[in-house]
């Protein structure tokens, strides 16, 4: 009986030892055990779309947000500048909101998926960045979350195979629910107040951007919630002028035709709808 007890004890200890050995050998540098991710568009990987996305094909690290499409990806080996594939540079108002939104996603560890090996591109500011996508460890794509929040514009022919995913991103943008529709719009090329351009519209507290220039909101007037003023006349903006409007959170509002921008054909002409 005593010999049997010793034999059982030895077998038990051997089983425990083997189990510990298996645990020790299963890891590696930055092991990722997040499983597979399923998103609307997937990621570009070696010339094709990967969907679902195997987390083990990514690299684990942390992120510092630089802009709506630039992220400093940080690991023990150093810091890599990453360009979020398919996402354009944004105007200052929308970019600030996008950065704030991404900062919330980047609070924990993140995973970087390179788009096409070591493919790089030159980004705004002159830096060279690797192109790819950043995900949270729970499977949220920084790019897709931005798009669905209305905080992104799409480049359908971005570097490193961006054409493979660009049309999906564009469709995702079109299907994302707009926050509000612009109404009671007035393009007033020469205002009575100072002879400069005034853009009036609903809703209130909106930010109006004309050809990339952010106008100054002076509040409601003439039955409209937003009165945005420029420091020059409407005619000085020329022709085929792009007008964009953003809400208090920086999300793009839509015009009655469903677009997120409106073209003023002649800046000197009054436009109202």
């Amino acid at each position: 009986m005593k010999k049997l007890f010793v034999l059982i004890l030895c077998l038990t200890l051997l089983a425990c030892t083997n189990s510990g050995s298996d645990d020790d050998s299963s890891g590696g540098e930055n092991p990722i055990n997040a499983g597979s991710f399923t998103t609307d568009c997937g990621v570009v990987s070696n010339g094709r779309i990967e969907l679902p996305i195997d987390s083990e094909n990514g690299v684990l690290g942390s992120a510092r947000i630089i802009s709506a499409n630039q992220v400093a990806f940080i690991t023990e080996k150093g810091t890599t500048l990453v360009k979020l594939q398919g996402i354009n540079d944004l105007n200052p108002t929308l970019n600030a909101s996008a950065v704030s939104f991404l900062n919330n996603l980047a609070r924990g560890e993140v995973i970087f998926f390179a788009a096409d090996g070591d493919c790089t591109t030159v980004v705004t500011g002159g830096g060279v960045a690797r192109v790819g996508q950043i995900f949270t460890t729970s499977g949220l794509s920084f790019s897709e979350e931005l798009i669905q929040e209305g905080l992104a514009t799409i480049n359908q022919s971005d570097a490193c195979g961006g054409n493979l995913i660009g049309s999906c991103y564009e469709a995702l943008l079109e299907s994302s629910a707009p926050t509000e529709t612009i109404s009671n719009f007035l393009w007033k090329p020469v205002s009575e107040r100072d002879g400069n351009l005034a853009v009036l519209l609903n809703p209130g507290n909106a930010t109006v951007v004309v050809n990339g220039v952010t106008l100054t909101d002076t509040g409601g007037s003439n039955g409209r919630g937003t009165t945005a003023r420029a420091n020059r006349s409407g005619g000085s903006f020329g022709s085929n002028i792009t007008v964009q409007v953003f809400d208090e959170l920086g999300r793009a509002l839509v015009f009655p035709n469903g677009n997120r921008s409106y073209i003023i054909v002649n800046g000197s002409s009054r436009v109202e709808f």
Side-chain angles (χ1 to χ4, degrees), residues 34-67:
S36 295
F37 304 144
T38 299
T39 69
D40 287 288
C41 299
V43 297
V44 175
S45 176
N46 296 319
R48 63 180 180 84
I49 293 294
E50 181 183 347
L51 188 66
I53 306 153
D54 187 348
S55 65
E56 292 185 359
N57 292 333
V59 179
L60 192 66
S62 60
R64 177 171 56 83
I65 308 304
I66 299 172
S67 70

Side-chain angles (χ1 to χ4, degrees), residues 221-237:
S221 64
N222 297 326
R224 300 173 175 92
T226 297
T227 304
R229 298 185 181 276
N231 59 4
R232 52 194 172 109
S233 69
S236 69
F237 285 91

Side-chain angles (χ1 to χ4, degrees), residues 67-70 83-90 94-95 98 102 121 123-124 131-133 141-148 151-159 162 165-166 169-170 172-173:
S67 70
N69 64 1
Q70 293 184 45
K83 161 70 169 62
L84 295 181
Q85 189 173 45
I87 306 299
N88 269 329
D89 292 326
L90 302 176
L94 193 58
N95 183 70
L102 290 179
T121 190
V123 295
T124 300
V131 178
Q133 301 295 351
S141 162
F142 279 25
S143 297
E144 290 190 24
E145 292 299 310
L146 274 181
I147 293 167
Q148 294 182 83
L151 294 174
T153 60
I154 309 305
N155 179 359
Q156 292 198 50
S157 57
D158 204 0
I165 203 168
Y169 278 175
E170 192 65 42
L172 187 61
L173 178 63

Side-chain angles (χ1 to χ4, degrees), residues 69-84:
N69 64 1
Q70 293 184 45
V71 177
F73 178 68
I74 306 163
T75 67
E76 293 179 354
K77 292 184 176 180
T79 300
T80 301
L81 180 62
V82 172
K83 161 70 169 62
L84 295 181

Side-chain angles (χ1 to χ4, degrees), residues 169-192:
Y169 278 175
E170 192 65 42
L172 187 61
L173 178 63
E174 292 302 320
S175 66
S176 62
T179 54
E180 198 166 352
T181 300
I182 297 161
S183 63
N184 208 0
F185 177 93
L186 172 62
W187 173 277
K188 196 171 187 178
V190 180
S191 65
E192 292 85 357

